Amino acid sequence: MLKERILVIGASGQIGVELTLALRKIYGNANVIASDLREQNPLLQGTGPYVSLDVMNKEMLHVQVIRQGITQIYLLAAILSATGEKNPNLAWNLNMQGLLNVLDIAREEKLHKVYWPSSIAVFGPTSPKIDCPQQTIIEPTTVYGISKYAGEFWCNYYFHRFGVDVRSIRYPGLISYKSAPGGGTTDYAVEIFHDALADKHYDCFLKENTYLPMMYMPDAIKATISLMEAPAKDITIRTSYNVGALSFSPKELAECIQQHIPDFTIAYLPDYRQSIADSWPSSINDAVARKDWNWSPEYTLESMTQEMLENLQK
Ligand code: NAD
Ligand code: SER
């Protein structure tokens, strides 16, 4: 077993729960400390240590890092795109200051590695819509996208200036059954499964032909761990890696669900999240991640849909 002490910040969130459980399998339960502002997610209870922590409180964070003998931090605390548009100041403050607090402490305590996710939200209306490349025009229009793009450059800066081994992925919209999404534009692709099983109907907040890059959570966990375990010499991108998996529209997802629930219906009632979705690409080119650390996704729209329905039914 590898000798690392890992702090996951934002462990009760959509990614945090599954990433904490996956890291505990690799590094041992006692060596992965889950932390969050809110209470521990029930799925984490009894699986390892938990501390209540606010990433904005740098002193307390620093104390925990020293007290727990932390060698790696996974920073997942953030305000996502839809919630960010409702409170831009809060999103900017948390997404920026939280990252800077972690990067500073990583530098001072000479942590081995830091993980911080960016998002496809860095791309804007002027970026290519299809097969959006790693390096291209990037002019985000949401506060979330602006904070992620600025964060990418802080990561790059701390790596080159101070040698902090910080790594990052631009996640697409993530689909999971274990934990609920936390206020993003891609949340429809999780809500639809819950409503299909409960009511056989879903009111979708995006238009039927809105194609977005998406990924099933097991692929996101695999990507994160593959990137973090890759030798440092292979990491050529110190801002954030594009990773691709699926690209589908609400209509296509609904049709796939109808293969399993034939009387499922969907209505389209687009709201303010439509313009956020319209500003993002519909698919991502991840050639650099494939080359640098052998990234490749496993799930298709069909296999993801089947697993989501089976697991939520349980
Ligand atoms: P989430 O909202 O589900 O979870 C975030 C967690 O952070 C929550 O449990 C919240 O309580 C916690 N948190 C908030 N403020 C905090 C603070 N001050 N101190 C400590 N904890 C705090 O988010 P998620 O979907 O799990 O996203 C995790 C990361 O991945 C974020 O950086 C997000 O931008 C990024 N990301 C997510 C997706 C997605 O589809 N879920 C896509 C792209 C990028
Ligand atoms: N799923 C995220 C969101 O919609 C993308 O970063 O905000």
Side-chain angles (χ1 to χ4, degrees):
M1 198 157 286
L2 300 167
K3 281 193 183 145
E4 296 284 351
R5 295 275 297 166
I6 297 179
L7 179 65
V8 182
I9 304 173
S12 293
Q14 189 191 10
I15 303 170
V17 171
E18 299 204 36
L19 192 53
T20 302
L21 293 172
L23 290 169
R24 284 182 172 159
K25 277 200 183 137
I26 300 171
Y27 295 96
N29 287 354
N31 293 321
V32 180
I33 292 94
S35 74
D36 205 293
L37 252 192
R38 58 174 152 155
E39 64 199 17
Q40 183 171 203
N41 185 291
L43 289 175
L44 294 180
Q45 271 162 19
T47 70
Y50 173 84
V51 291
S52 178
L53 191 148
D54 181 353
V55 72
M56 299 297 275
N57 187 334
K58 191 176 174 186
E59 268 178 47
M60 286 309 294
L61 175 60
H62 205 156
V63 166
Q64 283 295 348
V65 166
I66 294 169
R67 186 181 291 164
Q68 305 278 356
I70 296 301
T71 61
Q72 296 188 21
I73 295 180
Y74 285 66
L75 171 57
L76 305 173
I79 303 276
L80 277 80
S81 61
T83 311
E85 289 312 291
K86 288 185 182 157
N87 197 336
N89 286 339
L90 182 70
W92 177 257
N93 289 340
L94 174 62
N95 296 2
M96 281 296 89
Q97 199 55 52
L99 174 61
L100 289 171
N101 288 349
V102 167
L103 289 174
D104 270 345
I105 291 169
R107 174 190 167 202
E108 282 176 47
E109 298 306 325
K110 300 191 168 37
L111 299 192
H112 299 169
K113 286 178 205 169
V114 173
Y115 179 73
W116 170 83
S118 182
S119 162
I120 50 126
V122 293
F123 299 115
T126 49
S127 305
K129 273 271 166 216
I130 307 216
D131 207 30
C132 189
Q134 177 71 47
Q135 266 125 4
T136 184
I137 299 170
I138 300 190
E139 296 178 328
T141 51
T142 61
V143 68
Y144 175 67
I146 298 168
S147 73
K148 287 295 183 187
Y149 200 38
E152 290 187 6
F153 282 93
W154 277 119
C155 291
N156 195 51
Y157 181 81
Y158 269 72
F159 172 71
H160 289 288
R161 177 90 203 268
F162 304 121
V164 176
D165 187 354
V166 49
R167 305 176 183 198
S168 177
I169 283 174
R170 290 172 178 157
Y171 289 132
L174 299 181
I175 300 159
S176 61
Y177 62 87
K178 288 189 184 162
S179 42
T185 303
T186 56
D187 291 10
Y188 91 85
V190 179
E191 290 172 4
I192 192 171
F193 287 102
H194 289 268
D195 286 15
L197 287 167
D199 306 325
K200 296 193 174 171
H201 179 80
Y202 179 59
D203 283 337
C204 183
F205 58 75
L206 295 183
K207 290 183 195 163
E208 62 182 340
N209 287 322
T210 310
Y211 282 81
L212 287 171
M214 296 280 190
M215 184 180 280
Y216 189 36
M217 189 62 85
D219 273 334
I221 302 299
K222 182 178 102 159
T224 308
I225 288 172
S226 303
L227 170 65
M228 289 301 278
E229 289 188 345
K233 66 174 175 44
D234 293 345
I235 309 299
T236 63
I237 301 291
R238 288 293 177 169
T239 49
S240 189
Y241 278 97
N242 276 12
V243 289
L246 310 171
S247 170
F248 56 78
S249 65
K251 182 164 182 270
E252 282 181 356
L253 179 55
E255 285 168 358
C256 206
I257 292 172
Q258 281 160 350
Q259 302 289 316
H260 301 265
I261 308 173
D263 49 352
F264 169 64
T265 57
I266 183 165
Y268 301 98
L269 308 165
D271 65 14
Y272 70 100
R273 289 168 280 195
Q274 184 65 47
S275 64
I276 302 176
D278 287 342
S279 76
W280 294 345
S282 43
S283 62
I284 294 292
N285 182 303
D286 57 8
V288 186
R290 286 175 187 262
K291 180 170 164 290
D292 284 2
W293 39 276
N294 295 321
W295 161 245
S296 71
E298 280 173 23
Y299 284 84
T300 61
L301 174 57
E302 289 72 23
S303 59
M304 179 272 291
T305 300
Q306 188 169 337
E307 266 206 31
M308 282 293 288
L309 291 171
E310 277 172 13
N311 283 292
L312 288 174
Q313 255 161 347
K314 285 182 201 159

